[in-house]
Amino acid sequence: MAPQRHTALEPVAWLLGTWRGRGKVFYPTIDDFTYEEECFFSHNGKPFLIYSQRTWDPGTGAPRHSETGYWRPAGPARVEIVLAHPTGQTEVSEGTIDGTSIDVHSTSIGATATAKDVTALSRVYELSNERLSYTLAMAAVGEPLTGHLRATLERAR
């Protein structure tokens, strides 16, 4: 039996489900490339979304990036995101919800001793015509906050 959705999730309920699509990576220190992606947003009846994401090479199927964590509505039109990355970083971001648009900026980045130096992240998610699009900007390895990812996903279920 599926748990009843917590009322605090109403502002982000449009994210629930599985999303699949394709994206592009670009950054001043690397060559551009594309990836395929799958994101999952679910809940367990508590006042947060459970999130996981994975990407892979569209030609070989080799894994690329993944991240996992929680999206927490934090009052009227606010959201907090707590994520762990296998590259050694943790991310805490906070921002706004405006209908089917979410705009967040990192308030804290943690790192292991061997992780690349990431100092800031920002994300914008938008739902339009049943497609979830996002952009991610990153400040890392001496570069200022600049665009890094762009993707469009469709609801798979």
Side-chain angles (χ1 to χ4, degrees):
M1 177 179 228
Q4 183 174 344
R5 187 169 67 214
H6 196 285
T7 57
L9 296 180
E10 290 310 310
V12 293
W14 53 272
L15 288 167
L16 287 166
T18 300
W19 299 85
R20 291 190 184 115
R22 185 170 271 212
K24 183 174 183 178
V25 174
F26 46 95
Y27 204 67
T29 60
I30 62 172
D31 292 332
D32 296 358
F33 62 89
T34 60
Y35 59 91
E36 291 185 5
E37 176 174 3
E38 186 171 60
C39 288
F40 305 95
F41 290 91
S42 62
H43 73 93
N44 62 4
K46 300 289 186 178
F48 53 83
L49 293 180
I50 302 163
Y51 167 77
S52 66
Q53 178 258 23
R54 67 184 185 97
T55 65
W56 60 92
D57 182 287
T60 66
R64 290 274 190 195
H65 178 74
S66 63
E67 53 194 39
T68 188
Y70 303 94
W71 292 48
R72 300 168 10 111
R78 301 281 307 160
V79 66
E80 300 169 344
I81 301 173
V82 179
L83 300 177
H85 302 261
T87 50
Q89 293 90 6
T90 58
E91 171 188 350
V92 175
S93 292
E94 297 181 31
T96 58
I97 305 167
D98 183 6
T100 56
S101 180
I102 293 175
D103 185 354
V104 297
H105 303 274
S106 59
T107 58
S108 176
I109 304 285
T112 64
T114 60
K116 286 184 182 176
D117 182 35
V118 175
T119 56
L121 293 162
S122 69
R123 299 168 182 255
V124 175
Y125 288 80
E126 296 179 316
L127 181 66
S128 178
N129 298 322
E130 294 304 311
R131 290 191 171 152
L132 179 63
S133 297
Y134 71 84
T135 58
L136 182 141
M138 178 174 71
V141 295
E143 296 291 331
L145 191 65
T146 189
H148 179 46
L149 305 174
R150 178 178 51 246
T152 301
L153 312 175
E154 294 185 6
R155 192 182 303 274
R157 50 184 162 110

